[in-house]
């Protein structure tokens, strides 16, 4: 599915990613942990195509297709989804219209017919239920006046609607209370399947109690310096990162 | 002084036209017209050296040789044309029984196309027929500041037609009155219309003004309106400016408000008219007056749209609330100049002003200038002006969900504009205006 090879990227001439390698296969959940400033969120931004990141070296392919050449919207249409660490409030753009526009643009790109209003509503209802997203929020302006937890849950709702191949959750757990964390995790677990993959970027092992990863990677100074199973997260929680970065 | 004036042959032809007109004038407006003409001669056409016209060069407007119609009549062919324009444009706006309708062709009332209120206490007629009405005699010419405004002075000297509406006290005009100004011209033409709206004590009125044009040559509309709100009166006044590139509009609306009255002005300008200068001046002459000024300009091509507002807080506990938003596209230019004056007696005033502009193209220009002059010491006033591009983070967010650049921009512009459009209190008009914005954005 996703193959990242020797990825170097910089922001304003400052190198952030320094030769990162990662292989993610369909059906897998990868957690990326690491100290502040290691480049975790930068990796998410580079994959989604945020403008101010410049890739200087390396390749990223999704099912064999080079995605670095694509505009952000085309990456999304190819199946990349980024759940934002700080979802943006866009007053005046209704959540539901936004999703409908997004879905239909993605479908058109894939050569599928747009959903009818009825099909769309039905799907929206199903997914709301699946990820426990409040119907009242669906009709509001996009994230406007939503609490932190509601915003994160809206990201998961969008994820459920758009059904991407690869979902990158950028610190979706930070700032969530335990109930919201449970709801978000339940949503993600329901969406896990043999055809999709998840990258969870997180500071805290706690999230991984709810969404159990297949692999845990430690990202430090722009590179993955250690990879292990879910037990690595517990070890990191206990020992911190110093034992890995000091040598 | 002279450098602040523009030389134009139009000035001379207007002056000689005026001499003819004043000779024929028989009614009570003669003295007023004479004074106004003196003021106009003194002021002349303002050049860009005049602070009020710094960003708006009127030279292209006044250098045209307009025909100045001496008498106006309407023939059957024009009525048919107007009818066709109306049904093509407004069939989706209002249902027949939702509004009253007043149709003017080149300033002349066309009763056969109109549906006027027959309610007791509502007086509606051509302005030249109104000279004997008490409300006319009490208010006409008393509100408009012609001393400092050349075009208002010119209008006062030479207006030939316009609308007079007076609503007696306690009368609620149930449906909005839609004033459709149809302009049909084969030649370049200058038209000056003058309106007077008087809303009596505890009375309520809703007026929607709009333009329909079929013009092959430039038409210059120099309009002025006086608005009077008696104690506790309510007036929602909508102006939907969507028309032809050949249309040039300069207008001044000036309102005087009494205690507890509430005046809301909605000025929405869409792509079309190549030159628009709206002057809106409100006088909060009494205690506890409320005023709302909502503006939206969506400009395109090489349009110039200039909104100048003045809010005069003269007495205590007044509240004014101003929101103007602009989306400036292509090579168009927008000007916003908003002044708030809080006079010495106007303690406990609340005055807010917000002007937000989005530059939608590299060649678009916005000049925005908020001005506050406060002479009272216990007031709440604020103003904010922004000129910017669309929020890049928000654009990225939309794109990251698979929405293309163009669609994403359209979504955001609509959201930006709908913020003002949602202030429209007539649901049919609101969805009509939202539809206009949507169509404009989608065609780009």
């Amino acid at each position: 599915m996703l193959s990242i090879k020797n990825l170097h990227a910089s922001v304003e001439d400052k190198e952030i990613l320094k030769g990162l390698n990662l292989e993610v296969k369909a059906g897998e959940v990868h957690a990326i942990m690491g100290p502040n400033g290691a480049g975790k969120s930068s990796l998410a931004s580079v994959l989604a195509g945020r403008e101010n990141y410049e890739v200087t070296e390396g390749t990223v392919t999704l099912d064999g297709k080079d995605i670095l050449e694509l505009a952000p919207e085309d990456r999304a249409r190819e199946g990349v989804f980024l759940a934002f660490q700080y979802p943006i409030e866009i007053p005046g753009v209704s959540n539901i219209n936004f999703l409908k526009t997004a879905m239909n643009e993605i479908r058109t790109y894939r050569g599928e017919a747009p959903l009818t209003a009825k099909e769309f509503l039905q799907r929206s209802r199903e997914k709301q239920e699946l990820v426990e997203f409040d119907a009242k929020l669906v009709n509001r302006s996009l994230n406007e006046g939503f609490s932190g937890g509601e915003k994160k849950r809206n990201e998961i709702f969008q994820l459920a609607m758009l059904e991407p191949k690869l979902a990158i959750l950028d610190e979706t757990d930070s700032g969530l209370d335990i109930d919201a964390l449970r709801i978000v995790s339940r949503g993600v677990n329901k969406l896990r399947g043999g055809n999709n993959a998840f990258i969870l970027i997180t500071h805290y092992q706690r999230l991984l109690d709810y969404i159990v990863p297949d692999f845990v990677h430690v990202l430090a100074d722009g590179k993955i310096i250690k990879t292990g199973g879910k037990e690595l997260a517990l070890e990191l929680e206990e020992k911190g990162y110093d034992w890995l970065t000091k040598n | 002084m002279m450098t602040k004036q523009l030389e134009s042959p139009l000035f001379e032809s207007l002056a000689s036209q005026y001499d003819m007109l004043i000779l024929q004038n028989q009614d009570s407006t003669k003295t007023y017209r004479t004074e106004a003409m003196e003021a106009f001669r003194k002021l002349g056409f303002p050049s860009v050296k005049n602070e009020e016209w710094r960003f708006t060069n009127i030279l292209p407007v006044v250098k045209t040789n307009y025909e100045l119609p001496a008498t106006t009549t309407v023939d059957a062919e024009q009525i048919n044309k107007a009818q066709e324009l109306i049904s093509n444009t407004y069939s989706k706006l209002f249902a027949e029984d939702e509004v009253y309708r007043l149709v003017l062709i080149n300033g002349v009332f066309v009763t056969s196309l109109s549906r006027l209120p027959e309610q007791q206490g509502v007086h509606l007629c051509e302005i030249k027929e109104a000279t004997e009405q008490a409300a006319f005699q009490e208010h006409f010419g008393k509100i408009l500041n012609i001393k400092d405004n050349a075009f208002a002075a010119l209008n006062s000297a030479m207006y030939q037609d316009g609308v007079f509406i007076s609503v007696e006290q306690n009368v609620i005009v149930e449906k909005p009155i839609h004033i459709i100004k149809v302009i049909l011209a084969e030649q370049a033409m200058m038209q000056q219309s003058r309106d007077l709206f008087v809303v009596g004590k505890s009375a309520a009125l809703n007026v929607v003004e709009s333009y329909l044009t079929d013009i092959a040559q430039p038409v210059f509309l120099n309009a002025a309106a006086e608005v009077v709100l008696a104690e506790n009166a309510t007036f929602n006044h909508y102006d939907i400016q969507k028309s032809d590139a050949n249309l040039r509009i300069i207008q001044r609306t000036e309102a005087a408000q009494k205690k507890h009255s509430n005046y809301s002005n909605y000025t929405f300008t869409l792509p079309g008219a190549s030159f628009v200068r709206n002057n809106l001046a409100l006088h909060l002459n009494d205690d506890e007056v409320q005023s709302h000024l909502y503006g939206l300009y969506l400009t395109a091509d090489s349009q110039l749209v200039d909104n100048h507002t003045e809010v005069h807080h003269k007495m205590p506990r007044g509240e004014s609330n101003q929101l103007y938003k602009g989306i400036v596209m292509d090579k168009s230019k927008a000007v916003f100049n908003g002044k708030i004056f809080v006079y010495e007696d106007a303690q406990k005033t609340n005055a807010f002003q917000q002007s937000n502009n989005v530059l939608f193209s590299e060649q678009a220009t916005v000049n925005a200038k908020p001005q506050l002059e406060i002479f009272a010491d216990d007031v709440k006033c604020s103003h904010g002006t922004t000129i910017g591009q669309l929020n890049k983070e928000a654009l990225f967010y939309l794109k990251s969900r698979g929405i293309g650049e163009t669609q994403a921009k359209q979504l955001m512009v609509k959201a930006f504009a709908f913020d003002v459009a949602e202030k429209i209190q007539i649901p049919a008009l609101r969805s009509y205006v939202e539809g206009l914005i949507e169509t404009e954005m989608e065609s780009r």
Side-chain angles (χ1 to χ4, degrees):
Chain A
M1 163 143 337
L2 180 75
S3 172
I4 304 176
K5 292 203 168 83
N6 190 33
L7 184 63
H8 290 255
S10 43
V11 178
E12 291 163 358
D13 292 331
K14 187 173 182 282
E15 192 169 47
I16 311 273
L17 299 180
K18 305 171 180 173
L20 187 141
N21 294 292
L22 183 67
E23 294 289 328
V24 178
K25 294 198 178 66
E28 293 178 349
V29 174
H30 292 242
I32 296 182
M33 305 181 73
N36 282 328
K40 298 189 300 295
S41 284
S42 297
L43 173 62
S45 294
V46 169
L47 293 179
R50 195 186 286 274
E51 221 171 53
N52 47 343
Y53 285 82
E54 196 194 345
V55 174
T56 50
E57 217 183 317
T59 57
V60 178
T61 57
L62 184 71
D63 288 337
K65 191 164 195 165
D66 178 5
I67 63 163
L68 293 178
E69 293 303 308
L70 300 178
E73 59 269 35
D74 284 337
R75 297 183 193 199
R77 293 161 183 173
E78 288 289 341
V80 178
F81 181 95
L82 170 64
F84 281 56
Q85 184 178 359
Y86 304 108
I88 314 297
E89 296 193 15
I90 311 184
V93 173
S94 93
N95 220 348
I96 200 79
N97 273 342
F98 149 72
L99 260 177
K100 200 168 168 189
T101 309
M103 280 196 72
N104 284 336
E105 287 218 12
I106 291 173
R107 291 180 70 89
T108 308
Y109 180 83
R110 295 178 183 163
E112 298 161 359
L115 293 177
T116 64
K118 199 178 156 196
E119 287 167 338
F120 176 78
L121 275 179
Q122 196 174 348
R123 178 154 169 171
S124 163
R125 257 185 239 121
E126 258 167 47
K127 302 295 182 184
Q128 277 167 45
E129 215 164 294
L130 187 72
V131 300
E132 302 165 64
F133 190 64
D134 192 340
K136 269 180 275 174
L137 298 175
V138 174
N139 293 313
R140 291 244 303 262
S141 277
L142 189 47
N143 292 326
E144 193 190 15
F146 285 25
S147 70
E150 286 170 340
K151 283 181 188 169
K152 298 292 175 81
R153 283 161 65 183
N154 195 13
E155 296 291 286
I156 303 305
F157 171 57
Q158 292 173 28
L159 170 63
M161 288 294 284
L162 300 178
E163 297 182 329
K165 284 188 210 166
L166 173 72
I168 306 150
L169 275 57
D170 188 7
E171 300 198 19
T172 297
D173 56 326
S174 56
L176 285 191
D177 61 39
I178 199 72
D179 289 335
L181 181 68
R182 280 198 189 110
I183 292 172
V184 163
S185 306
R186 270 205 297 268
V188 170
N189 286 328
K190 284 180 196 157
L191 297 170
R192 282 173 81 162
N195 298 322
N196 60 16
F198 286 82
I199 297 176
L200 311 174
I201 292 171
T202 181
H203 272 296
Y204 305 105
Q205 185 272 334
R206 189 181 67 169
L207 174 70
L208 307 180
D209 285 342
Y210 295 96
I211 308 172
V212 181
D214 300 297
F215 299 94
V216 174
H217 308 275
V218 177
L219 177 59
D221 196 27
K223 275 186 267 194
I224 285 175
I225 57 165
K226 190 170 179 65
T227 295
K230 61 181 184 209
E231 61 291 339
L232 176 59
L234 289 166
E235 200 176 351
L236 292 169
E237 181 85 355
E238 201 175 308
K239 300 204 233 168
Y241 298 101
D242 286 356
W243 62 284
L244 286 169
T245 50
K246 267 186 208 154
N247 47 355
Chain B
M1 189 66 201
M2 280 312 285
T3 54
K4 289 191 176 178
Q5 296 186 1
L6 274 183
E7 304 265 335
S8 156
L10 181 62
F11 190 96
E12 297 312 318
S13 71
L14 284 166
S16 55
Q17 171 91 7
Y18 169 80
D19 292 339
M20 296 278 291
L21 189 131
I22 204 71
L23 275 177
Q24 293 160 7
N25 184 280
Q26 298 299 328
D27 66 33
S28 58
T29 61
K30 195 164 188 161
T31 320
Y32 179 65
R33 288 178 186 271
T34 315
E35 282 168 15
M37 194 60 193
E38 264 169 46
F40 174 64
R41 281 184 210 275
K42 212 189 273 174
L43 293 162
F45 288 125
S47 76
V48 289
K49 297 222 168 73
N50 184 312
E51 185 60 28
E52 288 298 293
W53 295 86
R54 208 172 123 200
F55 301 111
T56 301
N57 187 358
I58 59 158
L59 193 62
V61 176
V62 298
K63 77 175 180 201
T64 306
N65 209 357
Y66 301 100
E67 197 179 307
L68 304 165
T71 53
T72 35
T73 48
V74 172
D75 61 34
E77 199 185 322
Q78 288 175 309
I79 293 178
N80 286 339
K81 183 74 209 166
Q83 185 157 28
E84 186 190 320
L85 287 171
I86 291 166
S87 54
N88 287 348
T89 319
Y90 298 130
S91 54
K92 284 194 205 122
L93 171 53
F94 292 121
E96 288 246 327
D97 57 357
E98 261 182 329
V99 285
Y100 299 117
R101 189 162 84 185
L102 171 58
V103 177
L104 298 97
I105 300 179
N106 297 341
V108 179
F109 271 41
V110 183
T111 34
S112 64
L113 296 178
S114 302
R115 256 190 334 265
L116 301 176
E118 283 162 10
Q119 216 173 327
Q120 277 284 327
V122 182
H123 307 277
L124 190 158
C125 64
E126 289 196 48
I127 193 108
K128 58 186 168 225
E129 307 297 329
T131 48
E132 299 308 313
Q133 300 247 6
F136 180 94
Q137 289 174 352
E138 192 181 342
H139 300 292
F140 178 78
K142 306 285 193 331
I143 300 151
L144 196 70
N145 173 357
I146 55 174
K147 188 170 99 267
D148 305 312
N149 299 292
F151 289 99
L154 177 62
N155 174 287
S156 302
M158 297 187 67
Y159 77 88
Q160 281 183 288
D161 40 57
V163 179
F164 170 81
I165 299 177
S166 152
V167 183
E168 285 177 19
Q169 70 171 14
N170 295 324
V171 173
I172 312 289
V173 184
E174 301 287 353
K175 302 179 210 171
I177 302 176
H178 185 191
I179 302 177
I180 304 174
K181 298 169 179 171
V182 184
I183 301 163
L184 305 174
E186 277 151 26
Q187 307 297 320
M189 182 177 82
M190 180 171 173
Q191 202 185 308
Q192 305 202 64
S193 68
R194 175 66 167 256
D195 302 335
L196 174 62
F197 302 105
V198 181
V199 189
K201 186 176 172 185
S202 299
L205 177 66
N206 292 285
V207 166
V208 181
E209 299 186 43
S210 70
Y211 306 90
L212 285 176
T213 48
D214 185 10
I215 50 182
Q217 297 288 325
V219 169
F220 174 23
L221 211 58
N222 177 34
E226 291 178 293
V227 175
V228 181
L229 282 90
E231 194 177 332
N232 201 35
T234 306
F235 184 15
N236 295 317
H237 192 180
Y238 302 87
D239 192 2
I240 312 298
Q241 302 175 327
K242 179 186 172 350
S243 53
D244 189 287
N246 272 321
L247 190 64
R248 299 141 175 201
I249 304 171
I250 295 180
Q251 66 173 10
R252 184 173 181 87
T253 301
E254 205 151 342
Q257 294 185 247
K258 286 286 191 204
K259 194 171 179 172
H260 295 140
S261 66
N262 188 339
Y263 177 70
S264 301
N265 183 286
Y266 306 76
T267 303
F268 287 16
T269 312
L270 289 132
S274 55
F275 183 103
V276 179
R277 164 70 176 245
N278 295 313
N279 300 285
L280 175 61
L282 308 185
H283 301 272
L284 288 72
N285 289 336
D286 211 337
D287 236 6
E288 293 179 59
V289 164
Q290 265 200 56
S291 312
H292 303 272
L293 306 84
Y294 300 115
L296 177 73
Y297 37 97
L298 180 65
T299 63
D301 307 319
S302 44
Q303 254 186 320
L304 187 155
V305 175
D306 177 345
N307 281 288
H308 265 62
T309 64
E310 296 164 34
V311 179
H312 298 268
H313 282 272
K314 296 180 184 166
M315 297 299 278
R317 291 173 287 275
E319 203 175 307
S320 70
N321 188 358
Q322 181 165 190
L323 176 65
Y324 269 69
K325 283 196 162 190
I327 299 142
V328 189
M329 306 186 284
D330 304 337
K331 289 179 187 161
S332 65
K333 180 175 170 178
V335 180
F336 173 78
N337 190 111
K339 288 188 213 169
I340 299 174
F341 300 95
V342 182
Y343 294 62
E344 215 178 328
D345 290 337
Q347 298 295 359
K348 309 265 184 217
T349 284
N350 281 323
F352 303 104
Q353 182 193 92
Q354 186 72 40
S355 145
N356 304 115
N357 300 277
V358 172
L359 286 167
F360 208 72
S361 103
E362 304 261 312
Q363 290 136 322
T365 316
V366 175
N367 291 106
K369 189 172 149 201
Q371 276 174 276
L372 249 64
E373 288 184 32
I374 303 172
F375 300 98
D377 51 19
D378 181 14
V379 300
K380 267 190 218 156
C381 290
S382 74
H383 67 87
T385 297
T386 60
I387 299 175
Q389 327 279 323
L390 292 175
N391 180 341
K392 286 214 169 98
E393 254 316 283
L395 265 180
F396 175 65
Y397 188 78
L398 296 176
K399 287 201 259 182
S400 80
R401 298 298 182 247
I403 299 174
E405 172 104 21
T406 316
Q407 268 277 26
K409 280 185 174 172
Q410 282 177 9
L411 271 176
M412 288 184 59
V413 165
K414 278 192 263 171
F416 177 82
F418 282 14
D419 191 29
V420 192
E422 73 174 21
K423 308 289 183 196
I424 296 177
Q425 292 174 40
I426 305 168
L429 183 63
R430 177 179 161 186
S431 53
Y432 172 76
V433 169
E434 288 179 346
L436 291 180
I437 298 166
E438 226 158 289
T439 312
E440 285 300 339
M441 290 317 299
E442 274 158 18
S443 67
R444 255 146 245 284

